[in-house]
Amino acid sequence: MMAIVSSSVDFLALLTFLICLLHHCSAGYDVESVVGSGNLLSASLKLVNGTTTLGPDVKRLDLTASLETDNRLHVRITDADHTRWEVPKDIMPRSTSVSKDALFQSLGMDNATLPSSATISRVSSDLKFSIHSNPFRFTVSRHSTGDILFDTSATLVFKDRYLEVTTALPAGRASLYGLGEHTKRTFRLQPNDTFTLWNEDLERSDLLDLNLYGSHPFYMDVRSGGNAHGVLLLNSNGMDIVYGGSYITYKVIGGVLDFYFFAGPSPLAVVDQYTQFIGRPAPMPYWSFGFHQCRYGYKTVADLEEVVAGYTKAKIPLEGIWSDIDYMDGGQDFTLDPINFPANRLRPFVDRLHSNGQKYVVIIDPEIKRQATPNEDFFLKRNGTNVVGRVWPGEVYFPDFINPHAAEYWAHKISEFRRTIPVDGLWCDMNEPSNFGAWQPLNALDDPPYHINNSGTHRPLNNQTVPVSTVHYNNVSEYDAHNLFGLYEARATHAALLKDTARRPFVLSRSTFPGAGRYAAHWTGDNSARWDELANSINTMLSFGLFGIPMVGADLCGFRGNTTQELCSRWIQLGAFYPFARAHTERTTERRELYVWESTARSARKAFGTRYRLLPYIYTLMYEAHTTGAPIVRPLFFSYPQDADTYGVDKQFLLGRGVLVSPVLQPGATTVDAYFPAGRWFSLYDHSYPLTVATRTGKRVTLEAPVDSASVHLAGGNILPLQQPGLTTSAARQGEFHLLVALAENGTASGELFLDDGESTEMGGVGGNWTLVRFSCDTTTESKGIITTTVGSHVVHNSYTPSRTSVIGNVVFMGLQSPAKGFTIYVNNVEVKAARTKSLTTGAFSVSGLSLAIGKEFQIKVVMSH
């Protein structure tokens, strides 16, 4: 439906005028014509009063807006007369924008008959788009509430290599999250900060607020009251994003303004809609959720053998041992050091790992030693010849992963290497891409008119990477595609492993961009062994959950610098709840494997014992992430969006919807100040006295902080599937399952369990072998004080054969009404003898000795008389 929108002068107009004066920008554009049909709209914009600052303005722009789904709005602004760079559709599949001329033709209209402004919306969508003229600006609003979600100023700047647009925000009502990758003190974005997006191998990554390895121009806005929406600027060029509290300004050095708006209205709905667009997170193999150990400095196969033996002796779980570049011959990919890592020593070691249910992962870097390169022509070019960089092997060429032949070569080398050493996963490092040094300018691309705040010092774009005047396949410039390099490499590596193994690949990538989660996990890079880095790792982990990369973690105990026993113990206690849990250290640091000190070994046995018990739950969260985009680790407001006190909580987090982790993040702490949202909260560690907090409004509680564990609580209303711990994930999977039922105040609870073989290429796909079981619990009150609590299962899908023999052996109820005069237990309507039940404490109860097949529906009743 078309509608004329007035352009009255209001407070926003005054604000944007003042911003314009501050930034010395042009007066923007006028709407020349507009046409719309149903869910589509197209407009022509003409320049008014342009300036030559930062280059000449583009005189005519085309705008297209479309409701692509009920929950996704697409707004694109580009040069009307010249084709410009956009993120390629081969790496980010999406629908083609309808051109203005095509829309005219479909309507049988021409420019002479067009109205001057318009709105698009539909009854089934909560998003409404409006053009305002003149001068041009646009708004996106929420139909159900009238709330303005995006409100651009009239100061649009569109030049060849500089684009600027500002949107107003309701000060005090909007909490923003995202816009990474940066190390931040807080998860919620703080006003008066600039977020630079340019993938960078930063030598000083311990500094806050600087652009790091990935670029994610996406944010989530949670408004007072709990409604959330998401905004993506799909643009791979370098940019500064200025957040002023009451506004956001994008300053982009190329491409187009290609916005996508996601309606929500819940935070989970936003990431569902966002990952539906950029691609769902790849399913990770079950083994990748175990604990991994690495060090830059395991110099020989004997070093690796010693570390594996150390973990076995200490009875600390170890799933995988990793090799940094030490295993290579002179730092070259796909080679082995013939002295320290000869194939006749390394292969038997890897075979022993596999026979013990353990894995081996190695690092690879995206460069090929100059003297070892093939005669193929698929490397990055500059001035007509291969770019010669300097990385670990010395002089190198860089594969151009946009070129299909480079991906084919990469797959061949990976397959060839795996014939010698059957590695289980690949770790893609240095893929910003990193380069040791800088370059002299070759052309205008090397020195753009606007210098983004690279590395916090407006450092030239050519520093520490390949020059931006480099040319890719199909004449694509590095200036435009730099931030996509890691994404293309991750895709090529994922495809290579999939082809070579016919199993679910595991790829870990340092450099990322929207869509990278389809192929890879991520770690937070070269952190330092410091308390602030411990705390800040939570913010980065939560941010990557928003970015569609749920498999994320930081190097436990820090990569750089020496740690202390206390810091390392506390990091283990936190890191056991990272989705990706790996310890990795720099070669000059003191050895700090988790078994080195008894204090850290004790923390590791307890923390990772808990993690391995939780693996069925964590793996089910991976299934949820793969099918809906839901982060594995979440901020509290994902489960409690109406509670504004959760918006700033970033020293705690949720594993899934209901496991609350409250770690120690300061030295010498004996207590933790924890926030508990409304509800009942039960200790995950102590079932004998489980109820910790019961609150109707949410409150802060001071918790004791034992030296060997973090505080972990389960929200009432959740059912957790658990298993017995083991030293490997495969060993842990051999045992029986337990259910932990934590009742909400009204006596209800729910949960689910996903099972498959952990390595099939599809996770929950049509025709696959998998099982999904949903658990539910209800409580009813009958006459004469009889209260019945019933937990049952519903088998949604059951084609995974072991689920027919895997059993639930124990069920623990927490939060039952008490005291009770007596109780009777029925399993599938058969009374259970008292010897198989145990009253743990007031309100807690267990039923053991069960043998309930996972793949067969069951019912357990606890009948209590009061």
Side-chain angles (χ1 to χ4, degrees):
M1 177 179 178
M2 306 295 297
I4 302 298
V5 180
S6 65
S7 56
S8 60
V9 177
D10 55 12
F11 174 76
L12 175 66
L14 176 61
L15 173 65
T16 55
F17 174 72
L18 293 174
I19 293 173
C20 183
L21 291 179
L22 178 65
H23 292 276
H24 308 289
C25 56
S26 75
Y29 291 79
D30 280 346
V31 177
E32 193 171 38
S33 60
V34 60
V35 64
S37 174
N39 304 318
L40 301 174
L41 179 150
S42 182
S44 296
L45 312 178
K46 63 178 181 181
L47 179 69
V48 291
N49 301 326
T51 72
T52 58
T53 305
L54 303 178
D57 295 272
V58 174
K59 294 181 179 180
R60 297 194 320 121
L61 300 176
D62 276 345
L63 176 148
T64 56
S66 61
L67 276 167
E68 296 185 338
T69 72
D70 283 348
N71 299 307
R72 184 173 75 234
L73 170 69
H74 181 201
V75 180
R76 176 176 173 268
I77 303 174
T78 188
D79 189 329
D81 301 311
H82 302 91
T83 300
R84 294 180 61 84
W85 163 259
E86 301 182 47
V87 174
K89 290 180 181 175
D90 79 299
I91 198 68
M92 183 68 70
R94 56 197 189 276
S95 59
T96 300
S97 297
V98 178
S99 70
K100 179 186 65 176
D101 291 341
L103 188 56
F104 289 168
Q105 186 176 5
S106 69
L107 296 174
M109 303 174 67
D110 58 39
N111 287 347
T113 62
L114 301 178
S116 61
S117 53
T119 292
I120 58 171
S121 64
R122 61 183 180 218
V123 174
S124 57
S125 175
D126 205 21
L127 292 174
K128 176 182 176 181
F129 172 83
S130 302
I131 282 183
H132 305 253
S133 62
N134 280 316
F136 160 77
R137 64 185 181 90
F138 74 85
T139 58
V140 178
S141 58
R142 189 178 295 283
H143 197 273
S144 60
T145 64
D147 199 13
I148 304 296
L149 309 183
F150 203 81
D151 193 346
T152 66
S153 70
T155 56
L156 172 66
V157 179
F158 203 114
K159 302 170 184 288
D160 182 31
R161 285 187 289 150
Y162 183 74
L163 288 63
E164 181 178 321
V165 64
T166 295
T167 177
L169 291 169
R173 289 186 50 240
S175 293
L176 268 60
Y177 309 87
L179 299 179
E181 178 182 10
H182 309 84
T183 299
K184 309 296 294 181
R185 286 191 182 91
T186 61
F187 175 47
R188 181 164 56 182
L189 305 185
Q190 298 302 307
N192 305 315
D193 203 354
T194 296
F195 303 91
T196 299
L197 273 57
W198 181 257
N199 294 359
E200 179 83 356
D201 177 10
L202 195 62
E203 294 177 351
R204 301 156 65 194
S205 63
D206 56 326
L207 295 183
L208 293 166
D209 305 328
L210 304 184
N211 53 299
L212 292 176
Y213 318 105
S215 290
H216 294 270
F218 170 80
Y219 70 83
M220 179 184 291
D221 181 344
V222 182
R223 298 286 170 90
S224 301
N227 279 348
H229 65 275
V231 179
L232 168 69
L233 173 59
L234 184 57
N235 184 301
S236 61
N237 290 85
M239 67 183 76
D240 287 336
I241 304 176
V242 182
Y243 173 43
S246 60
Y247 67 91
I248 293 178
T249 298
Y250 294 86
K251 302 181 177 184
V252 192
I253 60 173
V256 302
L257 295 175
D258 202 12
F259 284 104
Y260 290 83
F261 301 91
F262 305 91
S266 70
L268 275 174
V270 172
V271 292
D272 184 5
Q273 296 152 14
Y274 180 54
T275 57
Q276 186 180 40
F277 174 67
I278 65 169
R280 299 296 196 193
M284 294 290 148
Y286 196 95
W287 63 262
S288 66
F289 291 95
F291 171 68
H292 306 267
Q293 177 66 54
C294 185
R295 178 179 172 86
Y296 177 24
Y298 289 149
K299 298 179 180 179
T300 65
V301 175
D303 279 350
L304 300 179
E305 293 171 331
E306 178 185 345
V307 171
V308 173
Y311 275 97
T312 301
K313 181 179 180 181
K315 294 183 170 54
I316 298 171
L318 179 67
E319 190 70 19
I321 188 77
W322 294 40
S323 284
D324 207 310
I325 62 173
D326 309 274
Y327 79 93
M328 299 177 179
D329 184 9
Q332 297 180 65
D333 282 344
F334 312 118
T335 65
L336 296 174
D337 181 330
I339 305 299
N340 297 310
F341 287 87
N344 61 2
R345 282 289 310 277
L346 184 58
R347 177 61 184 261
F349 167 72
V350 173
D351 289 343
R352 289 194 299 273
L353 286 177
H354 290 164
S355 66
N356 195 42
Q358 295 170 306
K359 307 297 179 181
Y360 184 55
V361 179
V362 298
I363 197 171
I364 54 174
D365 296 325
E367 69 272 334
I368 302 297
K369 189 172 182 179
R370 188 176 183 181
Q371 291 85 350
T373 52
N375 294 324
E376 304 281 352
D377 190 25
F378 48 67
F379 296 100
L380 297 182
K381 300 284 190 293
R382 193 187 195 214
N383 206 22
T385 61
N386 288 345
V387 173
V388 180
R390 179 168 292 277
V391 196
W392 303 117
E395 290 190 338
V396 297
Y397 293 154
F398 297 90
D400 175 12
F401 290 103
I402 296 179
N403 189 326
H405 296 298
E408 292 169 2
Y409 165 77
W410 199 245
H412 170 74
K413 296 300 292 183
I414 288 171
S415 179
E416 185 179 65
F417 182 74
R418 291 193 73 258
R419 300 288 74 75
T420 304
I421 305 297
V423 296
D424 299 285
L426 291 171
W427 164 24
C428 299
D429 195 18
M430 309 288 284
N431 57 344
E432 293 72 33
S434 181
N435 174 66
F436 302 156
W439 308 80
Q440 293 300 313
L442 175 67
N443 57 38
L445 289 179
D446 292 313
D447 187 24
Y450 175 76
H451 292 179
I452 61 174
N453 193 26
N454 188 24
S455 302
T457 60
H458 299 277
R459 190 165 83 170
L461 301 181
N462 286 351
N463 281 39
Q464 207 76 20
T465 187
V466 298
V468 295
S469 51
T470 293
V471 177
H472 290 256
Y473 181 70
N474 278 345
N475 208 35
V476 171
S477 74
E478 174 71 5
Y479 181 88
D480 292 323
H482 171 80
N483 287 339
L484 300 176
F485 189 94
L487 173 57
Y488 272 104
E489 190 210 10
R491 183 178 73 168
T493 306
H494 184 277
L497 283 175
L498 182 61
K499 180 180 179 181
D500 194 59
T501 68
R503 296 194 301 270
R504 194 177 301 171
F506 177 76
V507 178
L508 183 71
S509 179
R510 189 168 76 174
S511 180
T512 60
F513 188 79
R518 286 178 288 160
Y519 310 112
H522 176 66
W523 90 108
T524 64
D526 296 345
N527 61 357
S528 297
R530 299 200 318 261
W531 287 93
D532 62 321
E533 292 268 355
L534 169 67
N536 294 338
S537 71
I538 298 175
N539 303 322
T540 304
M541 177 175 60
L542 293 176
S543 294
F544 272 85
L546 301 186
F547 299 153
I549 308 177
M551 189 63 161
V552 60
D555 288 340
L556 273 66
C557 304
F559 176 73
R560 292 193 178 109
N562 290 322
T563 188
T564 65
Q565 292 188 46
E566 182 189 15
L567 173 59
C568 195
S569 290
R570 294 305 191 188
W571 213 318
I572 291 165
Q573 295 159 25
L574 167 59
F577 297 94
Y578 291 159
F580 173 62
R582 182 189 70 165
H584 178 42
T585 57
E586 199 269 332
R587 60 183 174 178
T588 63
T589 61
E590 296 174 358
R591 295 288 286 265
R592 51 174 176 263
E593 289 79 10
L594 275 51
Y595 56 77
V596 169
W597 298 304
E598 179 51 36
S599 62
T600 58
R602 187 166 54 249
S603 290
R605 282 189 288 268
K606 185 166 185 178
F608 283 101
T610 300
R611 179 188 180 89
Y612 276 57
R613 287 191 69 217
L614 284 167
L615 280 176
Y617 175 66
I618 295 172
Y619 190 66
T620 300
L621 293 175
M622 177 72 257
Y623 167 72
E624 186 181 355
H626 176 57
T627 53
T628 72
I632 295 173
V633 164
R634 306 169 190 176
L636 273 64
F637 67 77
F638 265 55
S639 291
Y640 304 91
Q642 283 78 36
D643 184 352
D645 289 335
T646 65
Y647 297 175
V649 174
D650 54 19
K651 301 300 182 285
Q652 302 165 262
F653 56 89
L654 291 169
L655 185 63
R657 70 176 186 179
V659 175
L660 178 64
V661 182
S662 307
V664 173
L665 303 173
Q666 296 178 335
T670 58
T671 60
V672 172
D673 179 32
Y675 183 76
F676 286 86
R680 308 164 95 191
W681 296 89
F682 302 90
S683 171
L684 195 65
Y685 287 122
D686 187 1
H687 299 164
S688 64
Y689 193 73
L691 185 59
T692 300
V693 175
T695 174
R696 293 188 180 278
T697 59
K699 66 178 181 180
R700 291 203 164 271
V701 177
T702 299
L703 302 172
E704 296 296 320
V707 296
D708 63 349
S709 61
S711 295
V712 186
H713 294 84
L714 177 61
N718 287 273
I719 299 176
L720 289 191
L722 306 172
Q723 65 186 16
Q724 292 298 310
L727 296 184
T728 64
T729 61
S730 58
R733 296 193 82 181
Q734 302 307 309
E736 65 182 20
F737 291 93
H738 294 177
L739 288 185
L740 187 57
V741 182
L743 300 180
E745 187 70 31
N746 63 0
T748 63
S750 63
E752 63 182 28
L753 172 65
F754 177 87
L755 293 173
D756 66 3
D757 62 8
E759 63 177 17
S760 296
T761 56
E762 294 294 329
M763 189 178 197
V766 176
N769 295 318
W770 52 280
T771 292
L772 177 64
V773 181
R774 293 200 171 107
F775 306 105
S776 62
C777 184
D778 288 295
T779 300
T780 60
T781 302
E782 302 173 19
S783 60
K784 300 180 181 180
I786 303 298
I787 298 176
T788 301
T789 298
T790 304
V791 62
S793 69
H794 170 58
V795 179
V796 178
H797 190 276
N798 186 27
S799 59
Y800 179 54
T801 302
S803 68
R804 299 165 192 168
T805 56
S806 298
V807 298
I808 296 171
N810 181 268
V811 178
V812 174
F813 295 86
M814 299 190 296
L816 295 171
Q817 291 194 31
S818 61
K821 294 178 182 178
F823 58 85
T824 307
I825 308 295
Y826 298 91
V827 176
N828 294 330
N829 296 317
V830 176
E831 184 176 346
V832 173
K833 294 181 179 180
R836 293 168 57 190
T837 66
K838 181 180 179 182
S839 179
L840 299 178
T841 187
T842 303
F845 197 88
S846 73
V847 183
S848 60
L850 303 172
S851 185
L852 303 172
I854 289 290
K856 187 175 181 180
E857 295 184 352
F858 67 84
Q859 183 185 80
I860 301 174
K861 288 185 178 181
V862 180
V863 181
M864 297 178 293
S865 58
H866 289 264

